[in-house]
Amino acid sequence: MANGKMGIEDYMQQFVLGINYYFHGFNQYITMDVSLLQRNIKDASNAEAAEVGMTAADFDSVKENDWRFRVMYQFWF
């Protein structure tokens, strides 16, 4: 993670909203979307950390939000 510690992914959720516009008989289109990826990262217990040769202090819990904005244009010959 950003603070140099490790984490165990508890769950991930992704939300995506997009729009497409086709023109010239579907030979060309432009698409735009925005995406939010949420990751919930939890601490490791002493037993879980020992299984990978680390201590529980090497792990941290955090919730991360990653945003993505994308625009694409496609032309079919």
Side-chain angles (χ1 to χ4, degrees):
M1 295 191 317
N3 61 3
K5 294 193 175 191
M6 311 258 324
I8 298 172
E9 288 183 352
D10 190 20
Y11 70 86
M12 297 174 74
Q13 290 181 314
Q14 185 172 15
F15 304 97
V16 180
L17 175 65
I19 187 167
N20 297 318
Y21 180 72
Y22 293 88
F23 48 98
H24 295 292
F26 290 93
N27 288 335
Q28 299 176 32
Y29 75 92
I30 189 166
T31 184
M32 295 168 271
D33 63 47
V34 60
S35 172
L36 170 63
L37 175 66
Q38 292 182 329
R39 300 187 320 156
N40 187 24
I41 300 173
K42 66 176 187 170
D43 291 330
S45 67
N46 287 327
E48 291 171 326
E51 288 182 15
V52 293
M54 302 178 94
T55 66
D58 296 326
F59 291 82
D60 199 3
S61 65
V62 70
K63 186 172 189 176
E64 293 182 346
N65 293 324
D66 298 323
W67 287 93
R68 179 185 70 195
F69 301 95
R70 180 172 59 176
V71 177
M72 296 184 299
Y73 172 77
Q74 183 167 340
F75 180 83
W76 290 12
F77 296 92

